[in-house]
Amino acid sequence: MPYDPNNVFAKIIRGEIPCKKVYEDEHVLGFYDIAPQAPVHVLVIPKGAYIDFNDFSQNASAREVEFFVRAVGKIARELDLPDPGYRLLTNNGANAGQEVPHFHAHICGGKPLGRMLAN
Ligand code: 5GP
């Protein structure tokens, strides 16, 4: 399946729809989730056109990967999340329930989050 340039995060990157931005550099954008599932819920995306983690981990440049990983850490620290902790996750594909086909990581925190997966 090719990358869909009309997915909602591609539109956010192009500035066609707004977002509440928390972070930006040349390769990465961080913004609040529109339907937060925790007191703090931020999405971190590469600006490059990658469908999911499988795509990003194979096809992104070393520079893009480094910027992404470092941005996640910076955002979490900016939001005072490392202590007492936060959850970092990415849904990859249908079985994970990925809704938006542009690779993104969720940073969730602000309260104890319970078990990782619902029963
Ligand atoms: P996924 O299920 O693909 O891992 O997560 C997609 C996330 O994107 C969901 O948590 C959803 O609330 C969020 N989302 C969908 N559309 C928008 C939007 O237009 N703006 C923002 N900020 N978040 C969105």
Side-chain angles (χ1 to χ4, degrees), residues 3-113:
Y3 179 82
D4 171 11
N6 289 317
N7 77 76
V8 70
F9 293 169
K11 290 180 179 174
I12 285 175
I13 291 166
R14 292 195 297 267
E16 294 168 10
I17 60 173
C19 70
K20 195 171 164 201
K21 196 184 296 182
V22 293
Y23 178 86
E24 183 166 18
D25 64 35
E26 67 181 281
H27 291 301
V28 183
L29 189 62
F31 52 95
Y32 285 98
D33 196 291
I34 204 168
Q37 296 188 40
V40 179
H41 187 170
V42 167
L43 301 170
V44 188
I45 65 175
K47 291 183 176 176
Y50 302 104
I51 296 169
D52 56 17
F53 182 74
N54 185 52
D55 185 11
F56 185 72
S57 61
Q58 288 183 88
N59 298 317
S61 67
R63 188 171 166 83
E64 289 174 300
V65 172
E66 174 168 5
F67 269 64
F68 187 84
V69 172
R70 295 216 186 270
V72 168
K74 277 184 217 166
I75 292 166
R77 288 189 292 278
E78 285 272 303
L79 298 173
D80 288 327
L81 295 175
D83 184 9
Y86 63 97
R87 181 165 293 150
L88 174 64
L89 71 85
T90 180
N91 293 314
N92 190 105
N95 271 10
Q98 182 180 358
E99 290 172 16
V100 179
H102 180 109
F103 171 52
H104 53 282
H106 297 255
I107 298 175
C108 294
K111 70 169 190 182
L113 297 171

